[in-house]
Amino acid sequence: EKMQNFYDVLLRRFVAVGDAVFNSGSGGPDLERYEQLNSLTKTLYAMSQDSPECAGSVWNRRLGIFQQAVAKRLRDVEVNSLGDACEGEFSAWPSTGMLLLMRALPHIFPSTDRRHAVVTPALLLLGQILAQTPVKTRCDVTKGLFCAALMMEYTKGAKRFPPEATAFLASALRLYADDVESVLGTSPLPSLSNATNCSQLMDLREDLSELSNVTDD
C-alpha cells in the first residue's frame, strides 16, 4: 500500500509540474521543470517494471479520477461562460499537466497490445474528451489536436484505427472550408459543431486566409 501511495504521489506531482510548465515555463536552472518531467517518467517506468500490478492499479484509479473531472467540467460548461484557457479563464478541456501525463503513458506501458489494463481505458478517455468537449478557443483546438495525436500514437503499434481522432482532425479542417457553417453542421463530433459562433476560431480562420494570400503573392 505504501508503494501505491508513493506511486500516486508521483503521478500527481507530474500533473502539477506539467501545469506549472504551461503557466510559467521551465522555471530556469533552479527548477528545470522539463528535466523534472523526464526524471518522473523514468521513475514511473522503473517502478512499473518492478511492480506492474501495483502501478496498473494506481493508474486505473487516477484515470477514474480524470474521467470524473472531465464529466464535471462538461456539466460545468453548461453554466459557465467559456473563455480561453490560455488566459486563465474556464475551459472544459483537461489541464496541460494531465495531457502531458497521458503523453507519458505509452512510454511506461506497452501500447502495442490490442487490450491493456491501463492503455485501453486511457484511450477511451481520450476519445470521450475529443468527442464531447466543446471547442471554443484556439487553446481548445491545440489541446484537441494534441489529444488526437495521442490517440494515434496509442493505436499505431497495434495497427488500430481511432475514429474520434480522425473525426476531430476532419472537423478542424472544416473550419477553413468555404461553406464552413454548412460543413460544420454535419460534423460527426458535437465538440466542433458550434465553432462558427466562436470569435477566436473565426479570427484564426481569417488570419490563416490572409497568410495564404500573402504566400500566394
Side-chain angles (χ1 to χ4, degrees):
E1 184 176 350
K2 289 183 178 179
M3 182 176 179
Q4 287 187 352
N5 291 337
F6 179 64
Y7 197 98
D8 191 55
V9 168
L10 293 180
L11 293 180
R12 287 186 279 121
R13 175 62 181 172
F14 192 105
V15 173
V17 174
D19 288 339
V21 167
F22 177 78
N23 293 322
S24 308
S26 176
D30 293 335
L31 294 176
E32 288 290 352
R33 294 191 179 101
Y34 294 118
E35 186 57 37
Q36 286 188 51
L37 293 178
N38 288 334
S39 298
L40 285 167
T41 302
K42 293 176 182 178
T43 303
L44 290 169
Y45 174 80
M47 293 180 66
S48 299
Q49 295 299 303
D50 291 339
S51 183
E53 291 185 1
C54 172
S57 175
V58 178
W59 268 96
N60 280 326
R61 185 168 68 235
R62 184 54 48 185
L63 288 172
I65 293 172
F66 287 160
Q67 198 281 330
Q68 292 174 10
V70 168
K72 182 180 184 302
R73 294 178 78 84
L74 289 175
R75 292 193 300 269
D76 291 345
V77 77
E78 299 179 1
V79 294
N80 283 279
S81 59
L82 281 175
D84 191 344
C86 296
E87 298 297 332
E89 298 181 17
F90 182 82
S91 172
W93 286 82
S95 73
T96 300
M98 175 197 159
L99 294 179
L100 289 176
L101 184 61
M102 299 289 275
R103 172 68 178 83
L105 177 57
H107 297 279
I108 298 172
F109 296 102
S111 59
T112 54
D113 300 345
R114 290 194 64 83
R115 282 188 174 275
H116 188 276
V118 177
V119 178
T120 300
L123 188 62
L124 293 174
L125 177 58
L126 287 171
Q128 178 190 3
I129 292 170
L130 280 178
Q132 298 180 4
T133 311
V135 174
K136 300 292 184 181
T137 68
R138 300 183 186 192
C139 196
D140 292 346
V141 173
T142 302
K143 289 185 175 182
L145 294 174
F146 187 81
C147 288
L150 282 181
M151 290 195 75
M152 292 182 174
E153 181 179 354
Y154 279 29
T155 56
K156 178 177 63 176
K159 297 181 179 180
R160 297 171 61 187
F161 178 77
E164 296 90 352
T166 52
F168 185 90
L169 293 174
S171 296
L173 289 174
R174 286 188 176 99
L175 286 172
Y176 308 104
D178 292 336
D179 52 343
V180 58
E181 292 188 7
S182 62
V183 295
L184 280 180
T186 60
S187 171
L189 294 181
S191 56
L192 277 159
S193 59
N194 295 318
T196 53
N197 298 326
C198 307
S199 59
Q200 276 200 34
L201 299 183
M202 292 301 98
D203 290 344
L204 178 61
R205 171 187 167 90
E206 294 177 4
D207 292 343
L208 290 178
S209 178
E210 292 176 1
L211 179 61
S212 176
N213 292 334
V214 171
T215 304
D216 292 340
D217 293 341

